Structure formats: structure tokens, C-alpha cells
Amino acid sequence: MRIFSLVTRIIQQLRRDRRTLALFFLAPLLILTLMYFIFGTEASELKIVVTGSDQPTVASLKQADFQVKAAEDFSRKKMIATDTDGWLHVEHGKMELTLLNDEPSRAKAVQMQLMLGLEGHASKIPSIDSHYVYGHADTKGFDTFSPMLVSFFVFFFVFLIAGIALLKERTSGTLERLLATPIKRYEIVAGYVIGYGSFALVQTIIVVLYAVNVLDIVLVGSLWLVLVTNILVALVALSLGTLLSSFATSEFQMVQFIPLVIVPQVFFTGIFPLDGMADWLQKIGKIMPLYYASDAMNGIMYKGFSFADVYVDLIVLVAFSAVFITINIISLKRYRAL
Amino acid sequence: MKHAIVMEGIAKGFQHKRVIQPLDLTIEKGGIFGLLGPSGCGKTTLIKMIAGLIKPDAGSVTVLGMRVPNEALLMEIGYMAQSDALYAELTGAENLDFFAKLYHLSKKERSERIRYAAEIVGLTNDLNTWVAHYSGGMKRRLSLAIALIQNPEILILDEPTVGIDPRLKRTIWQELERLRDEERKTIVITTHVMDEAERCDELAMLREGAIIASGTPGALKGQYAAESLDDVFLQIGGGR
């Protein structure tokens, strides 16, 4: 019978915590729906450009699963600009293939389809010289999405830890006590940003150095730029975490933000290909900080982008944190009018 | 300026429930003012409005001639909340030092004030212990020490002696009286313990957000022809 008293109590408690209950039942649906759309999208068609070729080659390639275009001249720059997966150049019976390789799986698919297409055409397959715009022949999928993982972990831990810290300050009454002193609201927020920001900085440095030096994750671009990006990621996570903590009344409720705020962002970091997604789905991705962080990180670490190539992403991250910090400062008015 | 705190036409409600009925309250300078009443009567809400932590729905609060909220005023109000707002991971001394810094005290002032405040609440020997290891009474005392740290003109103490043993309680009251007599501090205290109410210079009894009686302890007893404040309280509360 004691067991049943316990059961009754648990049911009573949970029934009163409407939010936990709603999350318990609805969050899986939200995430399932997102996954349904994301995994349901087919990868977009492979795009290749052929230069200097005779008509029969182009014709035979068209029979393969390709979007083929013949062009007078082409370049690596144009490949990047038009997001072309492969560029086949034929000269004196020799074939030269340049692969974009922004996603290794697509590069492999191009090679395979090309072989199949040529097999049906030529009696003997000419030798193909392969070049890579990004990465190399041995690039693994992990190389392209590990940069995003680095940012993800920075975001995840800073979000939770800073959020819970401010929550504790609210529930223990120390925040109110703080506001009974002449401290200014912006000073509290700035203190949090600098205090937790410095830990986030150390965490970022450890994660990045470990990923690059121990796990040997490719780093083509500047390590400094990687650090700057992740510091901005930490800043966004910190300001969002402290902001959302005001909508939580316990650590338990803070943890509930994981399926609502963190998990959906993962879907848009590029771990799953973005270009095949429906327009509306891509638009959702664009309101998520991690989308920009991943774009920048992948650019710097894998594609060797410089500041000039990723500065838009960085500005968006700065804008996110500026907005969250401002709302934070305003929301403290709840406790003290000054 | 004779009045330390003037509240005029103050009212406050939370989610459709009136917590403070429209009321006026004047607290003189240099005295110990007691707010007396059962729990849930609005004592804490009232003093939080003095400290500027809650904005009244209507009316005005003036402290030391300055309209609340006022930044300069925060320097002159030492506030002790009902629940201990302390950082458990820090030591007693670190807690005191942190708050002292928020009041921009110099290093010399800080060490002097920390020594003084710790002495009064009898925590001198426990200053280097983590607050997580403090007993309930020790936490109460540390909260009181923090309220004293910047040497404010006005002390607002929300049930300061709950969980403190009688001997230390006496020491604390002696110190409050000394602060009143020698330094002309104004002290506002909430309590539901009658022997403490007895020691206040002036009292206001609160019930359901309204002041139902006020005056010196003696006057209140005379008014209700009662032997003790307990009787006054029960007489007024008996109307329920």
C-alpha cells in the first residue's frame, strides 16, 4: 500500500507541473516531425559541368543520374560560386575531374556515376585524373561535420551551465539581494558574460586544440578564427541560457530546454545535408544561431575560409548575443525598477 | 527631516489578489519600528517596497527625503531578506567581501567592516568556513552581517532572529539598540515574536494587507486594556 501512496503522490505532482507534462508528451512529437521532414528530403541532384568534350561523352553522361552542362570554359571559382559537384575536362582523350567535395558522399557519388556513364559509352575507360577543391581523396564524413560538433558542444554546455547558474541565483534569492545593492542591471549581465565567458573561452580552447591535435580533425583555416567563432558561439549560448532561465523555476525545467532549443538546432548544423531541404525548412534553420556557427566553422576548418568569407556569419552571431543580452537587461526590471 | 520613511497611498496586488490595501505609513528617524502580523499578512511585501525591490501599484514611497526607486538610496539601505540569500560555495568572509565590494568600499573599509559585522553576529571564528557548512542560525547571522556591511542609515530586517538562540538574540538586540542610540540608525524589523515586538519603539500591526493598529507597545496595550502584546494580537485577530 505504501507503494501506491508513492504512486499517487508522483501522479499528483506531475499533473500539477503542466509544463513538464506538456513537454513529456509533446516534445517527442516536435522532434519526430522535424526528423520526418529532414530525413524525408531527398538529396539534391548532382551537378556536373563538362568542358572541352565531344558531344557523345556529354550525351552518355546525360543518361546517368546527373545534371550535366557543357561549357566553353569553367574554373574552380565558378564551381564554388555555382555549387557544382564536379567538373570534367576532356582534352586529347585524357580526362581531368575536379570534385567540389564539400560533402564527401556527393564527391563519391559523382565518381561512381561518372564511371557508370562512361562504361556504356567508351570501349575502354580512359584514365581520370581527380582533383579536389576541398579536402582530398581520403576525406571522411566526420571531417566535414566535426567542426560543427565543436561549436555544438561549446553551445550546449555554456547554455546549460550559465542558465542553471542564473536560475540558482534567482531561486536562492541572491539575485534579489544583489538588486538591493547599488549594482546596475547591466553590470549584473556584464558580470555574467565576462565571468562565465572566461570559462567558456578556456573550454573552447581545450575542445578546439584537442580536436585538431589529438583527433586530427582537419584544420585548413586559421586557428584564431576558429577560436573567435567559438567565443561568439559561447556568448550566444550564455546570453540565451541566462535569458531562458527566467522562464524556468527549477533546474529540472532548465534541462527541458534541451529538446526545445538545442536538439532542433542540431538538425540545421549541416550534419544532415541542407541543400535538399524544402525552402520553409531552410528558413527555420536561418533563425538558429548554430546554423551560422556551423557554416562559419565548416568554412574555416574544412574549406580554409578566411575572415572575409565568414564575417557575415560572425556578425549574425554578434547580433544574436546583442539582442539576447539586451532582453536580459530589460527583463531584470521585473526585480527592480532601476 | 524627522521622517525616515514615508509611504503614502501604497497598494499592491499579485494576480488579482490584493496583498496590500491602500495604506499610509510613516516611520520616524532613529527608532526601531516593528511590523507585526501573522505570516502572509503583507509584511515582507511592504518592506520590499521600502527597499525598492517591489514596485507598488499605487502611491509613493519616500525614504530619507528621496523618492523610491533611487540609486543613491540603495547605498543607505541595509536589507536582510527572509530567506538567506547567500553563496553556499563561498566562505562567510568571501560573501561579506563580495557585498562590500558592490557598495564600492575601499579595501581598508572592507576589512574593518567585515571584522565589525562578523563580531556583532558572533561569526568571527567561522569566517573561513564555507557557507554550505553553516547551520541555519549561522546563515541567518551572516545575512544580518551583510545587511550591516556598508554602514547604512536604514536597516530593513525581515524576521532577523528566526532560528537564532536566545543568548545571541540578546546580543543582536543590544547591538540594534546601540545602533539606534549612538548612531541614530533607523531600523525596520518584521517579526511575529511578541518579546521582540515589546522592544520596538513603535509598532504597526498588519492583517490581510491593512494596518489594524499602531503605536508604541505601551499605548497598544493600553488601548486594548491588555496585559501583553500577545493579548492585543489575539483580541484584534479574534474578529475573524
Side-chain angles (χ1 to χ4, degrees):
Chain A
M1 279 310 103
R2 286 188 203 122
I3 295 173
F4 290 109
S5 333
L6 209 71
V7 171
T8 315
R9 196 214 70 204
I10 289 170
I11 292 173
Q12 276 173 338
Q13 274 182 313
L14 260 178
R15 276 184 53 192
R16 306 250 158 97
D17 191 350
R18 294 271 169 79
R19 244 193 50 195
T20 303
L21 217 53
L23 192 99
F24 197 67
F25 297 129
L26 300 179
L29 305 187
L30 171 79
I31 293 179
L32 264 177
T33 311
L34 265 177
M35 289 177 90
Y36 170 80
F37 284 114
I38 282 161
F39 288 108
T41 40
E42 277 180 49
S44 56
E45 212 182 357
L46 298 168
K47 261 171 33 183
I48 72 161
V49 168
V50 183
T51 53
S53 171
D54 43 1
Q55 279 310 307
T57 316
V58 177
S60 70
L61 286 178
K62 274 191 174 148
Q63 281 157 19
D65 206 1
F66 274 140
Q67 189 189 321
V68 186
K69 256 194 241 160
E72 284 298 303
D73 71 329
F74 206 61
S75 67
R76 285 184 167 217
K77 259 196 190 143
K78 280 188 186 161
M79 273 186 91
I80 296 170
T82 56
D83 205 16
T84 304
D85 296 294
W87 166 30
L88 186 68
H89 183 65
V90 188
E91 212 174 340
H92 310 305
K94 264 208 214 148
M95 291 192 172
E96 204 180 330
L97 177 67
T98 310
L99 294 157
L100 187 63
N101 201 24
D102 60 339
E103 280 166 39
S105 61
R106 288 178 79 88
K108 299 245 155 59
V110 169
Q111 281 177 311
M112 249 183 57
Q113 295 285 341
L114 199 59
M115 288 303 202
L116 286 174
L118 293 174
E119 248 171 14
H121 163 66
S123 45
K124 76 174 177 33
I125 301 164
S127 67
I128 302 178
D129 238 354
S130 291
H131 304 282
Y132 295 83
V133 175
Y134 302 127
H136 44 75
D138 299 326
T139 304
K140 294 184 287 289
F142 189 65
D143 284 321
T144 59
F145 69 75
S146 56
M148 302 140 188
L149 283 181
V150 173
S151 285
F152 167 75
F153 285 121
V154 169
F155 189 94
F156 181 75
F157 287 111
V158 173
F159 175 86
L160 263 196
I161 289 170
I164 288 175
L166 189 65
L167 180 77
K168 218 172 114 193
E169 190 123 37
R170 274 177 223 278
T171 50
S172 72
T174 49
L175 183 66
E176 186 185 72
R177 185 63 191 80
L178 270 185
L179 287 163
T181 75
I183 197 169
K184 293 183 176 64
R185 280 181 285 127
Y186 82 83
E187 288 175 322
I188 295 180
V189 176
Y192 258 77
V193 168
I194 298 169
Y196 278 93
S198 56
F199 279 95
L201 178 64
V202 175
Q203 188 212 32
T204 304
I205 293 173
I206 293 173
V207 171
V208 170
L209 290 184
Y210 184 83
V212 172
N213 295 320
V214 181
L215 299 183
D216 233 4
I217 290 174
V218 281
L219 172 65
V220 187
S222 143
L223 182 64
W224 291 108
L225 207 49
V226 170
L227 287 178
V228 168
T229 308
N230 278 307
I231 289 163
L232 292 179
V233 169
L235 204 62
V236 176
L238 184 84
S239 48
L240 183 62
T242 48
L243 182 62
L244 289 183
S245 78
S246 61
F247 300 103
T249 51
S250 61
E251 274 98 336
F252 187 38
Q253 290 197 339
M254 193 66 211
V255 171
Q256 291 171 8
F257 283 121
I258 295 173
L260 294 180
V261 177
I262 310 270
V263 177
Q265 293 205 72
V266 176
F267 294 132
F268 295 96
T269 51
I271 291 178
F272 311 106
L274 291 163
D275 25 312
M277 283 185 198
D279 264 358
W280 64 270
L281 210 53
Q282 290 195 22
K283 281 201 183 98
I284 292 178
K286 288 192 174 144
I287 58 166
M288 302 195 173
L290 270 182
Y291 168 84
Y292 299 93
S294 307
D295 194 44
M297 283 292 281
N298 181 266
I300 300 161
M301 291 186 77
Y302 180 61
K303 298 176 183 166
F305 281 5
S306 66
F307 179 76
D309 302 312
V310 295
Y311 78 97
V312 176
D313 288 325
L314 301 188
I315 287 174
V316 174
L317 289 177
V318 170
F320 268 118
S321 38
V323 170
F324 294 149
I325 286 173
T326 313
I327 303 176
N328 258 320
I329 295 174
I330 296 169
S331 80
L332 280 177
K333 264 198 173 164
R334 261 204 300 169
Y335 295 85
R336 187 181 75 187
L338 269 180
Chain B
M1 190 174 58
K2 218 167 126 269
H3 306 312
I5 299 161
V6 181
M7 302 178 99
E8 285 172 319
I10 288 296
K12 180 76 193 174
F14 292 113
Q15 293 164 349
H16 314 299
K17 192 173 174 276
R18 257 288 165 70
V19 180
I20 299 290
Q21 309 293 341
L23 61 80
D24 297 317
L25 181 67
T26 306
I27 296 173
E28 302 303 315
K29 246 184 148 175
I32 300 180
F33 189 94
L35 274 170
L36 200 60
S39 37
C41 70
K43 289 177 301 213
T44 299
T45 308
L46 204 59
I47 59 168
K48 276 189 182 172
M49 289 197 283
I50 300 173
L53 293 169
I54 291 182
K55 205 173 157 242
D57 295 339
S60 71
V61 183
T62 312
V63 179
L64 300 173
M66 287 177 272
R67 177 83 187 259
V68 176
N70 185 311
E71 215 185 305
L73 213 47
L74 293 169
M75 197 69 201
E76 295 304 336
I77 296 177
Y79 172 64
M80 174 180 175
Q82 197 168 17
S83 61
D84 296 302
L86 303 166
Y87 297 98
E89 302 88 348
L90 303 185
T91 66
E94 285 164 345
N95 267 282
L96 284 165
D97 194 50
F98 169 67
F99 282 103
K101 279 179 183 162
L102 294 185
Y103 289 104
H104 282 304
L105 301 188
S106 70
K107 204 173 172 208
K108 191 166 150 274
E109 284 172 311
R110 285 207 307 270
S111 68
E112 275 169 20
R113 291 301 301 178
I114 290 172
R115 201 173 330 122
Y116 161 81
E119 183 71 45
I120 289 192
V121 297
L123 279 178
T124 308
N125 294 327
D126 302 296
L127 275 185
N128 292 321
T129 310
W130 284 27
V131 169
H133 299 145
Y134 274 23
S135 69
M138 286 162 84
K139 286 183 190 158
R140 228 44 220 128
R141 280 141 64 192
L142 184 60
S143 298
L144 179 60
I146 291 172
L148 294 168
I149 200 76
Q150 86 275 29
N151 198 13
E153 276 303 299
I154 294 177
L155 281 172
I156 296 176
L157 313 175
D158 203 350
E159 304 196 347
T161 54
V162 172
I164 292 183
D165 67 73
R167 205 162 56 108
L168 197 71
K169 197 158 143 182
R170 184 178 297 165
T171 324
I172 289 173
W173 268 94
Q174 279 166 358
E175 183 56 27
L176 292 180
E177 282 160 0
R178 190 195 69 78
L179 285 168
R180 171 193 64 189
D181 299 336
E182 288 175 24
E183 302 186 26
R184 294 266 303 144
K185 306 274 190 213
T186 309
I187 299 160
V188 182
I189 202 166
T190 72
T191 183
H192 49 233
V193 189
M194 295 306 153
D195 64 322
E196 287 194 340
E198 205 79 65
R199 297 181 81 151
C200 293
D201 298 315
E202 195 134 4
L203 284 174
M205 288 194 173
L206 228 64
R207 210 185 73 193
E208 284 163 16
I211 295 176
I212 46 175
S214 61
T216 62
L220 280 175
K221 278 185 277 187
Q223 194 184 335
Y224 291 91
E227 295 264 314
S228 70
L229 282 173
D230 268 329
D231 295 333
V232 175
F233 200 73
L234 288 174
Q235 271 195 40
I236 298 169
R240 273 167 168 245

